[in-house]
Amino acid sequence: MSLKTLVKNSLKSLNMATNGSVAFSPAQFDADVMTTYGRFPIALTKGRGSVVWDDQGRRYLDFVAGIATCTLGHAHPAMVEAVTQQIQTLHHVSNLYYIPEQGALAHWLVEHSCCDRVFFCNSGAEANEGAIKLARKYAHTQRGINNPLIITAQASFHGRTLATVTATGQPKYQKNFDPLMPGFAYVPYNDIAALEALVAELDAETPQVAAIMLEALQGEGGVCPGDAAYFQRIRQLCDEKGILLILDEVQVGVGRTGTLWGFENLGIEPDIFTSAKGLGGGIPIGALLCKASCAVFEPGDHASTFGGNPFACKVGLTVCETLESENLLNNVKLRGEQMRFGLQRLVQQYPALLEQVRGWGLINGLVLQPDSTIKSVDIVKAAMDEGLLLVPAGPQVLRFVPPLNVSADEVQQALIAVEKAVAMLVKQEHN
């Protein structure tokens, strides 16, 4: 079957997809599915590019993209071909055997990063969990640390497993899940004095700090970019003391910031970094990457039944190669500049409500004034009425994370929609 036929059949199926093919009832959904999400009252049923449709046939611009996950948007022809061919060939085997697709993706990642080894899993939380385990084993076996500590940042987000939610420096995610995992300490983000003081305190008598684990840009923490001087001093500190530097690239990696990896904006290299979300373009996959100097895992130390399966790795490789072939990093830079320029004009128009714009590439935050009675979720709901999907990054920050192949016209449509949403909310507040 030719690529043209594959794409044609796929789009035909998308056009036919309605709730007639999948019975759906919100009440039954809520009765059957755990309420771990506060869901908005729409059911999405199909998508193409940067556009999705709900079960009522209404069209939305998707500037959530699965929360920075749908790198190539929806139903991209290259993904359609990769998914179709691989599911017809081989979709899963055990890691007891060599998996060519896994090897191909690992090679691409090694060739396009500062790292030498890759471990595949299924999500960002799993990748970060693996990084924590790797750092602990390295501390025990290479540095003789009996009770290793990992320093993370306040307002960070690293996942929902017990170890990664403990690493996450936000008490709201940890509430009622104690006892939390031992071995973590926290510092304010972008505060080098606080970090240096904590390292000095913890290592005063005997080395305890095994690793420093940070995001190049804090996504869930409010779209807060890292300061280059801060990270460069951390790299120097880690080199001086033998501490591993772990960077969580789950949300900002794979081109999201306009560079392939978020840390490239900071002028440093980590010892370990993690990837997920955008790596599979919407297909679940996670990856832990490290330099050869800290690749201390041995057979039996760590594993994943589904991690690195042929299906996920074929799609992941397709996403990465398409990122290159379509020159999407350049598009990310251009559309990001367009987005920030438009949002900054909105800040100037509504200074009593909006404080600033911050971000890199196509992960951008519109920051509300701290005393505003209008919250980010209010703008999300109002924008939804204007046909635009957005996601909060905390109560005071509105996050924009569209597909990386979003067009200039679509960015302009989004800016118009969010301006209408803001204007409506301001008008309501004044009435």
Side-chain angles (χ1 to χ4, degrees), residues 20-296:
S21 60
V22 178
F24 175 73
S25 159
Q28 190 62 56
F29 186 100
D30 290 337
D32 295 335
V33 179
M34 282 194 182
T35 53
T36 57
Y37 284 84
R39 292 181 171 87
F40 296 105
I42 61 172
L44 301 177
T45 58
K46 66 177 181 178
R48 189 180 309 160
S50 298
V51 177
V52 291
W53 287 265
D54 67 14
D55 60 340
Q56 305 303 308
R58 186 172 183 196
R59 176 186 184 277
Y60 301 86
L61 266 177
D62 184 8
F63 273 50
V64 177
I67 309 184
T69 297
C70 298
T71 306
L72 305 180
H74 303 277
H76 190 285
M79 287 189 68
V80 171
E81 181 183 26
V83 166
T84 303
Q85 290 184 351
Q86 195 61 46
I87 201 68
Q88 293 176 338
T89 305
L90 186 68
H91 69 284
H92 178 74
V93 292
S94 171
N95 277 294
L96 291 171
Y97 315 106
Y98 285 100
I99 300 173
E101 294 81 7
Q102 182 180 144
L105 178 55
H107 184 70
W108 192 96
L109 292 170
V110 167
E111 289 291 301
H112 290 80
S113 76
C114 60
C115 288
D116 308 299
R117 301 284 189 276
V118 187
F119 171 84
F120 289 106
C121 50
N122 310 287
S123 68
E126 286 184 34
N128 286 333
E129 185 92 14
I132 291 165
K133 287 180 66 176
L134 185 65
R136 286 186 172 187
K137 180 171 183 183
Y138 181 87
H140 282 290
T141 62
Q142 306 301 308
R143 297 186 60 208
I145 299 177
N146 293 324
N147 295 295
L149 289 171
I150 296 176
I151 296 175
T152 68
Q154 295 167 6
S156 60
F157 185 85
H158 298 294
R160 302 282 191 163
T161 65
L162 271 178
T164 57
V165 82
T166 307
T168 293
Q170 298 195 58
K172 67 179 181 181
Y173 292 115
Q174 301 169 346
K175 185 179 179 181
N176 294 327
F177 296 117
D178 49 314
L180 298 174
M181 294 289 291
F184 294 92
Y186 312 96
V187 290
Y189 190 64
N190 276 339
D191 186 338
I192 193 61
L195 179 61
E196 289 182 322
L198 182 59
V199 171
E201 177 187 344
L202 294 174
D203 284 358
E205 296 183 7
T206 183
Q208 294 187 71
V209 180
I212 298 171
M213 183 176 187
L214 300 167
E215 298 158 274
L217 173 151
Q218 289 189 327
E220 296 295 326
V223 191
C224 298
D227 178 71
Y230 170 75
F231 275 86
Q232 288 164 19
R233 173 57 186 139
I234 292 174
R235 178 69 272 176
Q236 183 182 26
L237 183 66
C238 289
D239 290 340
E240 291 170 357
K241 292 183 170 291
I243 297 170
L244 296 178
L245 178 56
I246 304 171
L247 293 185
D248 179 342
E249 290 272 325
V250 170
Q251 188 159 167
V252 299
V254 197
R256 174 60 55 184
T257 68
T259 57
L260 188 56
W261 309 111
F263 60 77
E264 294 179 61
N265 295 280
L266 303 170
I268 61 161
E269 292 184 357
D271 302 295
I272 300 168
F273 75 92
T274 56
S275 181
K277 285 189 178 287
L279 182 59
I283 300 300
I285 189 171
L288 159 64
L289 297 91
C290 71
K291 293 192 174 182
S293 57
C294 55
V296 294

Side-chain angles (χ1 to χ4, degrees), residues 330-343:
N330 186 59
N331 189 64
V332 172
K333 293 173 185 175
L334 293 174
R335 301 289 72 78
E337 290 171 1
Q338 178 189 359
M339 175 66 68
R340 286 186 294 278
F341 179 79
L343 292 177

Side-chain angles (χ1 to χ4, degrees), residues 290-307:
C290 71
K291 293 192 174 182
S293 57
C294 55
V296 294
F297 277 162
E298 298 174 300
D301 279 347
H302 200 48
S304 172
T305 296
F306 295 108

